[in-house]
Amino acid sequence: MSKNNCAVVGVGQTKYQTTRGDVSMAGLVREAAYRALEDAEMSWSDIDAVVIGKAPDFFEGVMMPEIYLAEALGCAGKPILRVHTAGSVGGSTALVATSLIQAGIHERVLTLGFEKQSESNATWALSLPQPFSVSINAGAGGYFSPIIRQYMIESAAPELIGCMVAFKDRQHALRNPYAHLHQHDLTFDQVVEAPMLWEPIRYSETCPSSDGACAMVLGSESVGDASSKPVAWVQGTSMRSEANTFPGRNEVNPRASRECADDVFSQAGITDRRREIDVVEMYVPFSWYEPMWLESLGFAEIGEGWKMVEEGATHIDGGDLPVNCSGGVLSTNPIGASGMIRFAEAALQVRQMAGEHQVDGVQRSLGHAYGGGAQYFAMWILGDTKP
Amino acid sequence: MRDVAIVAAGQRQQAAFTDETEVQILLPIFEQVRNDTGLEQSDIGFTCSGSSDFLAGSAFSFVGTLEGVGAYPPICESHVEMDGAWALYEAWVKLQIGEIDTALVYSYGKSSPGSLRDVLSTQLDPYYLAPLWPDAFALGALQARMMLEQDIVSRDRLTEIAVRSRDHASSSPHAVRKGDATTDFVEASPVIADPLRADDCAAGADGGCVIILAAGDIAKNVCDRPAWIRGIEHRTDAHSLAGRDLLSAQSAALAANAAGVGDDKIDIAELHGPFTHQEHLLETALGITDETIVNPSGGALAGHTMMAAGLMRIAEAATRVSAGAGDRAVAHATSGPWLQQNLVCVMEGD
Amino acid sequence: MSEPSQVEIELPAEIRDVEPVQSIRTPIRMTYDYIPSSSAIASLNAYAEKRILGGVSPIDGAVFVPPRGVDPRHGVATTETVDLPDTGHIGSFCVTRLPIPGREDLEIPYVSAWIFLDGADVGFLGLVSGVDTSEVHIGMRVKALWKPDDELGRTAENIVSWIPSGEPSLPFEEAGVRGYRKRSGAKGSDPLA
Amino acid sequence: MNEERLRADLVLEYPFTRTTGPVIGAFMTGLREGIIIGIRRADGTVVVPPLEYDPTSADPLTELVTVGQAGVVESWTWVDPPREQSPWQQPHGLALIHLDGADTPLLHGVLVNSADAMSTGMRVVAKFRAEREGHISDIEGFVPEESVQ
């Protein structure tokens, strides 16, 4: 029994924006799927199976929407799987699709993540009332703010590190035509002066709420070999989950995150993480999570991730480990697709197809996603050669 | 294909678990399958669950049930917003890759706090169907009438299936509707969505189901007679009426064919038919004959835990294979209106 | 194939010259009969008597509050409960300047904090009041502000908020999860902590 | 201590607004204007309500066509009591209706007084509301064709 190789042979994304008022839900997912198929030089009939992911169904008020979307994705008569692992879902969805190829079950799998958040309101959907209990949690920002506060104290990081990340990602987004936020005239001072929303998180340090879909076509080794375009080979995949509330839980740097990273780097045979990885697409919905994940992923020592930010190590211009060249979650956040965008952008970088936000000479990239109360992790490492 | 078997299965089901959270429903089942196999969570290579937030009206309910698994140290885990049968499929795929040897699969549904027949309306096309809120029983009735009027099934056959469910359920600890297994009783059952009588529709239930999968020698070490998975496939039909034939279960037939159901005699079939007429459609789609005992548990008609009913069918079939009640069994799971999506799993004893 | 958004749609003559419909209303209202679990009911009953219950892990005695009936590390039921004092400290907190749906009564900004009760090993989210938001800090000692006795019900909402108790604050290193790590000598907890 | 069962209504409510895209939008526009629109598949058959894609091949569909407002009931059931969220306040029929000029059934309500008035094969015609906004419930329901002749 040996693991089959898997390659990303097609990527498709929609334009991300607050409201995609021009399309239905099916129209939205079809736009991404079509572009992925076109990139892969395939048509619907070439696809063996579809794996689709999105975050809570309350966002659109459609229970298990893949049921209604089956034929929109060319699935009539085929298998379709629906994944949901909170914010990490886009990543885990891609990993489920990968495992279908690695297990030798399918040759060509279409995988897709989407969210049409404009149909409702994320804060509503994430803070549904529960009788007899006290309701004071204002969505994800209210949840992550106390965790970020602890990191800031523990690491003694300069106060404006988060603003630097936010400014960098918004600059990166200007090079990505699909990104939701294109703030051409944004200045660093404006980022700093933005109002505190969930102190210590400024409005400018949070992610937008987006409509959008992201799709990939994954293929077996023979499909990858036959591609006329560069492909990205999967060199490692990992998922980890841990419980939310238990004594002594390290919320700032969860053990599930570290073990997931150890696993994926070990599969790819990587020992010097910062040197051997050329570009990272990391799930950073609040700016401070960049230095936090840099530490957790082992790119920096504990308490020193912020130094990489300060040195510009994660900037596309001149950084040795560019992070979120696409603009990241801070510039685009259709929740159910956000993880898949990370994975897909990591693929585009390895395929040298990222356009204006391409980093020169990428040979290996990391795609990263997390979800829940920083409990669910999904990661993959892609390379321009087979593992 | 790597040899993978179901080595333990447990379930709980009753009309309503009013006093228990979803986690509390599951805890005793986790304990049972661990006792049955001697495997602890730390021995499990991959964990996968299935559920839906819409049933009890709370977002991220699966994040809560992760607590019942015991998720620290961290575990390798995933979740499908589907019936647990598809979680089992995902776990089986992971086992096929060959890097892990064991997997834990679970799913649960607690729909008693809401009105499931209405909640399921939110699963329909959100532009043309859902805004009319056609309820699940009414949708079933539209299909049943077509089948009756076009002689795809007879009224007597529907009664026979309802009686069979009640009869088989009488010996099933998990069935919530049992007893009075007579034609007269079923025929007197009140019509709730013409032409469907109450007994033609699955009895709603809350519950949970847990299964442990193991590969090769490990399966043999932890289980006297593992239920080896010889084929597992799933397919979907289109959702739109424009792409559906309500008089057959096409994707069930495709899945059954791919899973090799017809390759040999089937001793036991556990079919996830939420209505009597759908059980009939499934028997046809899977090519079930008289030599097969259909739904020895009473089937989904005797107790329908949304999101777990399909996994429960696999558990029921596997348990019977392991107990030696049959050598070859098929289990089926469905999802979506009118049997839209279907999974078929063929199991054999040694 | 052609790009879905580039597809030219041919409209029937009757609607070519009218304002097109671009969105529809599809309101959803679902009503659930919410019944707390037995472990939650015990806790809600205690709140009615101005008591706070914790659930005790059968594995190592760790105390969870509010009790959810399970030790999430081990996946085992916590059947034993213990009474906890209504005093504790702030493990960490957020100052929110955003209204939340359903809580229009909250004056903005408000402080939501992880409250670690004395004797408990995990925190829970509570509202902090009676202090200027700029004075709130990690390690600050707080006590429960209960509703008047004649307004008590079987609900966690009996605790209106958490107010400063005036006791000396805990150092950062002993506040929140760090306190547990120190008490337990990191036994069973995160090795990297 | 009061040991009576604790319970509360948990109400999840949201006024979802869905953008339609051009094809669903055209159908809704048609309803507002009092007509029913379908879409033609490659084989010439007409799908009502229209889909943006062929349900079998997933290829885009583009040719919208107007179909008849009357048709034949292919199957039906009786809904009593009416469902809380539905557009209907009275017991009513629910039917798959094969409209004239269409090749697929449309699901909608049938406004008659009792199940006795329902039958497969009956001809029904759409009854539009006076006030319409472009919504599937702009059709108040279908009524027996003879009742309007």
Side-chain angles (χ1 to χ4, degrees), chain A residues 95-96 99 239, chain B residues 46 90-98 100:
Chain A
L95 295 189
V96 173
S99 61
M239 286 158 88
Chain B
F46 181 66
E90 185 182 331
W92 176 83
V93 169
K94 284 277 195 293
L95 284 159
Q96 290 304 314
I97 296 173
I100 54 159

Side-chain angles (χ1 to χ4, degrees), chain C residues 41-51 152-155 158, chain D residues 1-4 6:
Chain C
I41 287 173
S43 189
L44 296 173
N45 285 342
Y47 281 125
E49 297 173 347
K50 299 199 339 191
R51 293 188 300 123
L152 295 175
R154 294 196 288 172
T155 169
N158 287 349
Chain D
M1 180 52 56
N2 179 1
E3 288 302 330
E4 79 185 56
L6 261 184

Side-chain angles (χ1 to χ4, degrees), chain C residues 96-125:
Chain C
T96 303
R97 295 186 171 82
L98 188 75
I100 1 175
R103 286 304 303 271
E104 289 74 16
D105 59 309
L106 289 180
E107 231 177 87
I108 292 171
Y110 66 89
V111 174
S112 56
W114 288 99
I115 307 294
F116 282 75
L117 292 183
D118 299 333
D121 292 306
V122 298
F124 59 89
L125 205 57

Side-chain angles (χ1 to χ4, degrees), chain D residues 8-122:
Chain D
D9 277 344
L10 168 62
V11 180
L12 297 186
E13 188 168 21
Y14 199 85
F16 291 92
T17 304
R18 307 199 185 287
T19 56
T20 58
V23 171
I24 298 167
F27 176 77
M28 297 303 175
T29 307
L31 292 183
R32 193 191 62 205
E33 302 300 319
I35 60 170
I36 301 175
I37 289 173
I39 200 160
R40 204 179 298 282
R41 296 174 75 168
D43 64 2
T45 58
V46 174
V47 173
V48 179
L51 294 173
E52 296 160 54
Y53 37 85
D54 185 284
T56 306
S57 70
D59 288 337
L61 300 179
T62 59
E63 189 190 347
L64 290 158
V65 293
T66 305
V67 299
Q69 305 201 354
V72 176
V73 167
E74 284 189 343
S75 187
W76 60 273
T77 186
W78 186 248
V79 183
D80 181 14
R83 309 313 298 175
E84 193 190 333
Q85 297 288 297
S86 84
W88 300 290
Q89 313 303 312
Q90 301 291 323
H92 60 91
L94 192 74
L96 297 177
I97 300 161
H98 191 130
L99 292 175
D100 301 336
D103 295 283
T104 63
L106 169 83
L107 182 121
H108 218 292
V110 179
L111 309 176
V112 291
N113 290 327
S114 78
D116 295 340
M118 296 291 305
S119 63
T120 299
M122 74 190 285

Side-chain angles (χ1 to χ4, degrees), chain A residues 144-152 200-201 286 288-289 292:
Chain A
F144 290 111
S145 155
I147 299 176
I148 289 170
R149 183 182 294 276
Q150 294 179 85
Y151 171 76
M152 291 168 73
I201 305 175
F286 302 101
W288 280 92
Y289 266 95
M292 288 161 70

Side-chain angles (χ1 to χ4, degrees), chain A residues 92-116:
Chain A
S92 13
T93 301
L95 295 189
V96 173
T98 304
S99 61
L100 287 167
I101 304 277
Q102 289 177 332
I105 293 165
H106 296 305
E107 290 292 304
R108 296 170 192 83
V109 177
L110 173 69
T111 185
L112 185 141
F114 83 98
E115 208 73 72
K116 201 155 183 328

Side-chain angles (χ1 to χ4, degrees), chain B residues 23 26-27 30 34 40-42 44 47 49 62 64-72 75 77 104 106, chain C residues 70-76:
Chain B
V23 178
L26 289 167
L27 279 176
F30 287 134
R34 284 169 190 159
E40 296 295 326
Q41 184 61 33
S42 52
I44 298 292
T47 301
S49 62
F62 70 93
T65 51
L66 188 61
E67 300 191 341
V69 181
Y72 196 78
I75 60 175
E77 189 257 356
L104 177 86
Y106 65 96
Chain C
V70 62
D71 177 342
R73 299 166 298 177
H74 308 287
V76 295

Side-chain angles (χ1 to χ4, degrees), chain B residues 57-239:
Chain B
S58 69
F60 295 111
S61 76
F62 70 93
V63 179
T65 51
L66 188 61
E67 300 191 341
V69 181
Y72 196 78
I75 60 175
C76 189
E77 189 257 356
S78 187
H79 172 262
V80 292
E81 197 85 351
M82 307 178 85
D83 186 287
W86 280 267
L88 183 132
Y89 178 80
E90 185 182 331
W92 176 83
V93 169
K94 284 277 195 293
L95 284 159
Q96 290 304 314
I97 296 173
E99 293 178 340
I100 54 159
D101 299 316
T102 53
L104 177 86
V105 178
Y106 65 96
S107 71
Y108 57 93
K110 184 174 171 180
S111 51
S112 61
S115 169
L116 182 61
R117 63 189 287 192
D118 295 312
V119 168
L120 285 176
S121 299
T122 65
Q123 205 177 52
L124 303 170
D125 176 312
Y127 310 92
Y128 299 143
L129 295 178
L132 299 175
W133 292 85
D135 74 278
F137 292 160
L139 293 181
L142 293 171
Q143 184 179 37
R145 181 178 306 282
M146 261 190 176
M147 289 173 60
L148 287 165
E149 293 182 347
Q150 298 187 37
D151 292 329
I152 306 292
V153 71
S154 69
R155 192 71 188 189
D156 287 349
R157 174 70 182 136
L158 298 187
T159 302
E160 200 176 286
I161 290 170
V163 168
R164 176 177 74 191
S165 169
R166 283 180 166 271
D167 183 28
H168 289 175
S170 61
S171 56
S172 170
H174 310 297
V176 303
R177 183 166 65 204
K178 55 176 88 174
D180 292 311
T182 62
T183 303
D184 287 348
F185 187 88
V186 168
E187 285 179 345
S189 169
V191 171
I192 57 169
D194 196 340
L196 294 175
R197 304 155 299 195
D199 264 35
D200 290 313
C201 308
D206 293 347
C209 181
V210 184
I211 281 177
I212 292 184
L213 296 173
D217 289 343
I218 294 183
K220 292 175 191 160
N221 290 342
V222 300
C223 180
D224 292 338
R225 185 171 145 96
W228 299 101
I229 294 175
R230 298 302 184 204
I232 180 166
E233 296 280 347
H234 65 102
R235 298 287 187 274
T236 187
D237 287 313
H239 180 69

